[in-house]
Amino acid sequence: MKQIKTRHLHPNDTGLATAAALLNAGALVAFPTETVYGLGADARNGQAVAGIYAAKGRPSFNPLIVHVPDVDAAQALVQWSDTADRLASVFWPGALTLVLPLAPGHGLSSLVTAGLETVAVRVPHHPTAQALLRAANMPVAAPSANVSGRISPTTAAHVLDGLSGRIAAVLDDGPCPVGVESTILSLAGTPTLLRPGGLPVEAIEAALNGPVSHHAGDAITAPGQLASHYAPGATVRLNATEAAEGEVMLGFGPVTGDLTLSASGDLVEAAAALFDSLHQLDRMGKPIAVAPIPNTGLGAAINDRLNRAAAPR
């Protein structure tokens, strides 16, 4: 694709106004959320949304999350429900994406939903994301701001490493505090976990007073379900207790390494460090061994990302 100059914007009044104007003009702007940096475009503008797929090299059958500033804006796009209301009252704004049936007259580009009759929608908590959404005054489609299938970005530098020259601007507000993508829950029927993420499923089940189903099958019904995803250039070996010859090691808890997600075994700290650690190790140009991670709480999201990073490509 044609190279353009990517602007590096700061989260002040001038930077936010510039970013909002670019979105309204149909351009692509990367911006921080509490989870990862998103690559935003006007979700109503098919040409702008097509630009996301082109910039990322993303398959067009992989749907996008629409970001809005509040529940009222979400209700304009989807068929709301009592269950959605209960979860939104507890977890929005925050790291939960809800998949709901499209509302009549939603106005979204069909590219956003990849032709599905549902859409994934989220109200982010990050103050800069909130300020941008309100300034732009539109639903913003925004997958992670990285080349498709590669490591997700948790800093503006990560965004520029992969997308500089492909997007109009990045709005830089430092590292993302959560560090893994949002949890995706389908409410188009029985509540079903489609992707573990920054909100532990245990918290959702507590809010619903019961268990949620887990997605089964190969059909792509939400972002982040490709078998190979979040991957570094190097190969990844999981559940390693030490590095083999020629490998670099990503440690956790008592298993030390060249880098460590959390020496104390803190899963919140590990989630925040995951993608930046993979970026750093990938630059070393060697295969990556990863220590075992408990599969509870945020560990489920970390292991989901690591399993996809290690999947055959």
Side-chain angles (χ1 to χ4, degrees):
M1 60 184 298
K2 181 181 177 181
Q3 292 286 295
I4 59 175
K5 180 176 175 57
T6 299
R7 302 176 67 174
H8 192 163
L9 305 175
H10 298 285
N12 51 28
D13 289 347
T14 300
L16 286 164
T18 300
L22 287 167
L23 288 173
N24 274 280
L28 306 184
V29 176
F31 63 96
T33 77
E34 65 274 24
T35 57
V36 300
Y37 273 72
L39 180 56
D42 182 350
R44 307 162 303 182
N45 181 335
Q47 187 170 348
V49 175
I52 291 177
Y53 288 98
K56 285 176 59 70
R58 183 183 178 95
S60 60
F61 57 77
N62 198 5
L64 306 176
I65 295 174
V66 176
H67 295 69
V68 292
D70 51 40
V71 169
D72 287 346
Q75 289 175 336
L77 305 176
V78 298
Q79 298 177 43
W80 202 241
S81 67
D82 290 342
T83 304
D85 211 51
R86 180 188 303 182
L87 293 172
S89 69
V90 178
F91 299 119
W92 277 3
L96 175 65
T97 293
L98 298 177
V99 175
L100 289 153
L102 286 161
H106 55 79
L108 298 174
S109 164
S110 61
L111 288 175
V112 170
T113 64
L116 300 172
E117 295 301 315
T118 56
V119 67
V121 63
R122 178 161 90 95
V123 176
H125 186 267
H126 197 290
T128 296
Q130 277 283 327
L132 178 61
L133 291 169
R134 294 185 187 281
N137 193 31
M138 65 172 66
V140 173
S144 55
N146 58 294
V147 174
S148 186
R150 300 303 298 274
I151 308 169
S152 296
T154 55
T155 68
H158 296 160
V159 176
L160 292 169
D161 281 348
L163 296 179
S164 182
R166 300 185 182 195
I167 65 176
V170 58
L171 187 59
D172 184 355
D173 198 7
C176 302
V178 174
V180 292
E181 291 84 353
S182 61
T183 301
I184 302 180
L185 186 76
S186 174
L187 297 182
T190 302
T192 301
L193 181 70
L194 301 182
R195 179 182 76 182
L199 177 67
V201 67
E202 293 91 341
I204 297 171
E205 290 176 331
L208 294 178
N209 296 315
V212 301
S213 300
H214 288 248
H215 175 71
D218 297 327
I220 302 296
T221 56
Q225 294 181 314
L226 294 176
S228 177
H229 209 42
Y230 316 110
T235 58
V236 177
R237 182 169 67 92
L238 304 181
N239 298 314
T241 54
E242 61 182 7
E245 184 176 353
E247 289 182 330
V248 290
M249 183 77 196
L250 181 58
F252 177 81
V255 179
T256 60
D258 298 88
L259 293 175
T260 297
L261 292 175
S262 174
S264 65
D266 185 321
L267 291 171
V268 174
E269 181 183 11
L274 176 63
F275 288 135
D276 187 57
S277 297
L278 288 175
H279 277 285
Q280 291 185 58
L281 292 175
D282 198 30
R283 287 195 286 270
M284 296 181 186
K286 298 178 179 181
I288 300 169
V290 183
I293 309 293
N295 203 41
T296 58
L298 283 176
I302 296 169
N303 282 317
D304 173 79
R305 304 311 187 270
L306 288 171
N307 282 317
R308 295 176 195 276
R313 305 168 205 169

